[in-house]
Amino acid sequence: MSNSSSLYINGSKAFSFVIKNKNNNLPKWTESNLKKTQTIKKIVCGSGNHIHFLVWKKPNKLEFYQKYNKKKKYQLPKNETIKDIASSFYTYLILTESGKVWSLAHSNRYKEVPLLDADQSTFEKIRPVTFFEEKKLFVNSVMMGCASGYYLCNGDQLYVSGSNAQGRLGIGQNSGRVPMPVYVQDKVTKIFAGNHSYGFFFTTSEPDLLYACGSNNYGQLGVGSTVDQKTATAVQNFKGSEILTLSSGSYHSILITNEGQTFGCGSKETNGLGVRKTIFTLIPQLKEKKAVQMSTGLSRTLVLTDQNELYGWGFDENLYPTNELPSRRDIPKKIRLAGFFTKYLESKNMIRIACGSHVSFLYLDFKNTLSEDLRLLYESKKFCDCEIGKLGNKIPVHKSLIECRTKLTIDQIQKKLFGEKSIINKEQTLSFVKWIYSDEISDLEKLEQTFNLLELTFPPSVDNTLEKDIAQLYKDNDSKDFTILVNIEDEEEEEEDEENKKVNYEEIPVHKFILLARSGLFRAMFDYVNEKENTNKIQDYTNKSIESLKILIKYFYTNSIKLTANQDPEIIVDELSDAVEYYQLNDQCNFELELLKIKKQFDLN
């Protein structure tokens, strides 16, 4: 039996090619037929009436879906890890952690962002955009508007490419096309756009401002007029540092502040206010709500609150599930989530939304739950068993994890990085430790220097991710530094006096930091044990079978549950059904989905 999908679609019938019953309309949230949806990191759509979308599956894999064509799979080189993706009509730009840009495009349509050779074929393969590398530009972020691209480079420099119609590139009367810099006196900090927008926004520091450029015939730039802005124009009433996110459709823009307040401007049909506004104005229906996520399309907007309440508006009636079509579609209307998502309403920062021109996506971002658990463990600074760094600046870490990620011993790392002639400072050490615990690359140059000294491949290969390293560590029994003792009942001794009864234990070897990272119960146990004595063993009192406990421990390393042929699925599911609560697991949603897969696989009710 197939696994449940965690991706649901609502919108035009044109997208029915990715649902199970391809003849259905999509007025309700409808389960997709995509597989392995729990690995989805982000979805972006081609804009306008173009029926295709791109799905990012970490760390370097993408899937492309297009009406009338078979699914295509793409994979970047192993030393590249995807950081973000952006889209326009017939172009997708992929940004990697190494600061490079890659493109997937359709040369027979619009030459939207002409960074590639003329022979690029129809979404045939992903190609590198060499311009930025040739100019020694590290790309920090990328956005796309309608037939245009926007790039934040080297931390504070703004580059643009594509069409400059209506001034959407912010370069005055000049024609666009090839990438070129936008000369801004102050340092640029963030860029914002929407895949169907005819302009863009950016923020600066010192002064702390928000700027807009491009088409403004409905007041969608929020600058107080309906005149196109062909060069950067300040948006009043907002500091750049106040803005969480900002996105535009063709005739409206929506802004969310760090406090979760939602503002709109532009066309009365799409700005969420029901009346045209040329400055960003607080949307009354969302005044008491804290917005945390937003996505805009041509004529639709979705906003998700911190309580996982979904609101939508726009004149596209496919935005609304059946029987929920409101009398007014120009102001926010609460939209019911698909039933599948109700069990995740208590989970924070997990439900994801995405809009195209005539379609909406609802899915779950399971993230790397192991990475999140390890990050929290590191930030707690508890139970660390060694230190790395120079004398006076040493950083506490977990020995087994460091050695697992680098394939080096702590002594080797200490000698290579912090010997007598060491050039590694504390900031670089912290950057290295951040990668160890989360795969995050916060400073490419500093981390590269550290990797070179350790004689490690840089950038890290996709075979050297946190997830894969920890999964491999599960098989390394020699490095396991802790033991869980499980009481094994002997039926022949059941009637003996408790005083004379022999206690038999089976031992499960494990890495201590794994238990600390993944289970609140074990953290509490270690707190108690450490007060009494330093020990490398602990007894499990859960009364679970040894098989169930072994499956749980393996899940701690691999984030998946798989049964062997001789294991009873009904017993395992029953015994593990309360594991989230009993073991105080942080990643409740992923664990429960794994159990759901087992239930479906073996047809258990």
Side-chain angles (χ1 to χ4, degrees):
M1 187 173 290
S2 62
N3 296 332
S4 289
S5 172
S6 57
L7 171 65
Y8 280 67
I9 300 172
N10 154 244
S12 166
K13 183 179 179 180
F15 284 86
S16 63
F17 70 99
V18 286
I19 65 172
K20 294 182 178 179
N21 186 344
K22 294 180 173 53
N23 295 318
N24 279 1
N25 289 312
L26 298 173
K28 292 184 177 181
W29 290 113
T30 306
E31 183 179 351
S32 76
N33 60 12
L34 275 62
K35 297 179 180 179
K36 296 184 179 179
T37 51
Q38 70 272 23
T39 63
I40 292 175
K41 178 64 178 175
K42 188 175 182 179
I43 297 175
V44 294
C45 283
S47 53
N49 295 315
H50 314 305
I51 313 303
H52 52 81
F53 61 95
L54 188 65
V55 178
W56 164 18
K57 293 189 172 182
K58 289 179 70 178
N60 70 335
K61 295 181 180 180
L62 297 153
E63 293 179 356
F64 180 73
Y65 295 85
Q66 184 179 27
K67 192 175 183 180
Y68 306 124
N69 289 295
K70 291 183 178 180
K71 174 180 73 175
K72 293 182 179 180
K73 292 183 177 181
Y74 308 97
Q75 184 167 340
L76 292 175
K78 281 192 172 183
N79 63 339
E80 296 292 346
T81 302
I82 298 169
K83 182 178 182 180
D84 201 6
I85 52 178
S87 67
S88 186
F89 279 104
Y90 275 91
T91 300
Y92 295 89
L93 293 180
I94 300 108
L95 176 65
T96 56
E97 294 283 0
S98 63
K100 297 176 183 176
V101 178
W102 308 70
S103 179
L104 179 66
H106 189 334
S107 64
N108 298 328
R109 298 285 178 171
Y110 303 102
K111 295 295 290 181
E112 298 174 281
V113 185
L115 307 174
L116 303 155
D117 298 331
D119 65 351
Q120 171 124 11
S121 56
T122 307
F123 298 119
E124 190 63 30
K125 63 180 180 179
I126 293 174
R127 299 195 176 200
V129 177
T130 58
F131 169 85
F132 299 101
E133 222 174 337
E134 292 168 357
K135 297 293 183 182
K136 295 184 169 34
L137 294 170
F138 181 94
V139 182
N140 303 92
S141 60
V142 60
M143 292 285 173
M144 294 197 76
C146 182
S148 53
Y150 309 101
Y151 318 87
L152 181 61
C153 303
N154 291 350
D156 57 13
Q157 299 171 31
L158 178 60
Y159 276 72
V160 294
S161 66
S163 169
N164 191 36
Q166 300 96 29
R168 68 187 71 169
L169 297 184
I171 54 175
Q173 300 291 344
N174 298 326
S175 59
R177 296 302 168 195
V178 296
M180 61 189 71
V182 177
Y183 295 102
V184 181
Q185 186 174 358
D186 309 306
K187 292 183 178 181
V188 177
T189 52
K190 292 181 182 179
I191 52 176
F192 304 99
N195 68 359
H196 213 294
S197 63
Y198 299 106
F200 76 110
F201 296 80
F202 64 90
T203 60
T204 61
S205 60
E206 299 178 2
D208 187 3
L209 295 174
L210 171 67
Y211 289 91
C213 311
S215 175
N216 194 36
N217 53 336
Y218 286 88
Q220 60 264 43
L221 296 182
V223 296
S225 76
T226 56
V227 178
D228 293 347
Q229 304 297 311
K230 298 187 177 182
T231 56
T233 303
V235 178
Q236 302 301 316
N237 304 326
F238 284 98
K239 292 181 179 179
S241 60
E242 295 175 335
I243 298 166
L244 174 68
T245 188
L246 195 163
S247 186
S248 302
S250 294
Y251 312 115
H252 73 291
S253 298
I254 306 297
L255 179 156
I256 297 176
T257 66
N258 292 326
E259 289 71 37
Q261 294 283 275
T262 307
F263 295 77
C265 65
S267 167
K268 67 179 183 179
E269 294 179 304
T270 52
N271 66 9
L273 296 159
V275 60
R276 181 191 290 189
K277 289 288 184 180
T278 60
I279 60 171
F280 280 102
T281 304
L282 183 64
I283 298 175
Q285 287 78 7
L286 300 177
K287 183 178 179 180
E288 303 300 323
K289 305 294 180 180
K290 183 178 180 180
V292 294
Q293 195 181 151
M294 171 258 294
S295 184
T296 60
L298 166 67
S299 60
R300 60 172 59 192
T301 298
L302 290 177
V303 167
L304 190 71
T305 74
D306 64 337
Q307 300 301 311
N308 284 326
E309 295 174 314
L310 182 63
Y311 290 84
W313 63 91
F315 56 76
D316 187 344
E317 66 180 29
N318 288 320
L319 174 66
Y320 306 97
T322 299
N323 301 325
E324 291 190 15
L325 193 62
S327 58
R328 292 186 65 180
R329 285 177 266 166
D330 54 355
I331 57 176
K333 163 76 175 178
K334 189 173 181 180
I335 297 175
R336 282 184 296 176
L337 299 175
F340 173 84
F341 293 85
T342 55
K343 69 179 75 171
Y344 301 102
L345 294 180
E346 298 302 316
S347 303
K348 300 300 181 185
N349 198 31
M350 186 171 182
I351 296 177
R352 292 285 180 267
I353 53 177
C355 279
S357 295
H358 304 291
V359 68
S360 298
F361 295 96
L362 192 62
Y363 59 104
L364 295 176
D365 180 5
F366 289 96
K367 307 182 190 64
N368 183 340
T369 55
L370 175 60
S371 172
E372 181 67 10
D373 285 349
L374 287 171
R375 182 187 66 79
L376 293 171
L377 177 65
Y378 173 68
E379 289 177 354
S380 75
K381 298 293 189 292
K382 294 186 70 174
F383 308 108
C384 295
D385 51 9
C386 71
E387 296 177 320
I388 60 171
K390 296 179 181 177
L391 190 64
N393 279 319
K394 290 199 171 185
I395 298 170
V397 292
H398 297 87
K399 180 173 180 279
S400 297
L401 178 60
I402 298 285
E403 294 183 343
C404 159
R405 301 298 321 270
T406 61
K407 312 299 185 288
L408 298 169
T409 67
I410 287 292
D411 289 341
Q412 288 173 321
I413 293 170
Q414 194 67 21
K415 185 177 180 179
K416 288 174 182 286
L417 293 184
F418 309 108
E420 289 183 8
K421 298 180 180 179
S422 172
I423 57 174
I424 300 297
N425 57 33
K426 186 171 184 179
E427 189 178 348
Q428 285 174 282
T429 309
L430 287 169
S431 178
F432 172 62
V433 170
K434 183 177 284 189
W435 174 79
I436 291 288
Y437 280 83
S438 67
D439 272 344
E440 183 179 339
I441 299 177
S442 56
D443 190 314
L444 194 80
E445 186 177 337
K446 289 175 181 175
L447 190 61
E448 183 174 13
Q449 187 179 34
T450 307
F451 268 59
N452 289 341
L453 288 171
L454 292 173
E455 300 177 69
L456 301 176
T457 302
F458 191 87
S461 160
V462 293
D463 290 328
N464 189 203
T465 63
L466 178 64
E467 192 172 0
K468 288 189 176 181
D469 284 346
I470 298 298
Q472 283 295 114
L473 191 63
Y474 172 74
K475 302 173 185 177
D476 184 8
N477 284 324
D478 291 340
S479 69
K480 290 176 179 175
D481 55 359
F482 202 79
T483 303
I484 299 175
L485 302 175
V486 184
N487 188 1
I488 305 299
E489 296 285 351
D490 189 333
E491 292 182 4
E492 295 180 2
E493 298 178 356
E494 278 187 359
E495 296 183 2
E496 287 188 21
D497 295 339
E498 286 294 324
E499 188 175 337
N500 299 318
K501 188 175 180 180
K502 182 180 179 181
V503 179
N504 297 315
Y505 293 105
E506 182 166 340
E507 297 185 349
I508 303 178
V510 66
H511 293 89
K512 186 176 181 179
F513 81 89
I514 286 289
L515 296 179
L516 291 166
R518 311 234 59 184
S519 168
L521 175 67
F522 283 113
R523 284 194 295 275
M525 283 183 177
F526 285 124
D527 265 334
Y528 174 74
V529 169
N530 286 345
E531 288 177 2
K532 300 175 67 177
E533 59 180 320
N534 187 18
T535 180
N536 62 352
K537 294 183 179 181
I538 201 165
Q539 186 173 348
D540 181 84
Y541 295 97
T542 60
N543 294 321
K544 307 289 183 193
S545 69
I546 187 73
E547 288 301 319
S548 294
L549 191 55
K550 285 180 178 179
I551 288 170
L552 180 67
I553 296 301
K554 186 174 182 180
Y555 170 82
F556 285 171
Y557 287 86
T558 63
N559 269 349
S560 66
I561 297 175
K562 290 184 172 61
L563 306 186
T564 59
N566 61 344
Q567 291 173 326
D568 187 325
E570 191 167 2
I571 292 175
I572 299 297
V573 168
D574 181 60
E575 289 200 337
L576 292 181
S577 60
D578 67 345
V580 168
E581 182 177 356
Y582 189 89
Y583 286 97
Q584 300 169 39
L585 307 186
N586 296 328
D587 62 335
Q588 168 184 352
C589 302
N590 188 65
F591 185 81
E592 289 181 346
L593 187 68
E594 287 297 310
L595 285 183
L596 181 62
K597 288 181 188 178
I598 300 298
K599 289 179 181 179
K600 283 185 167 289
Q601 180 183 349
F602 294 98
D603 201 18
L604 303 175
N605 293 323

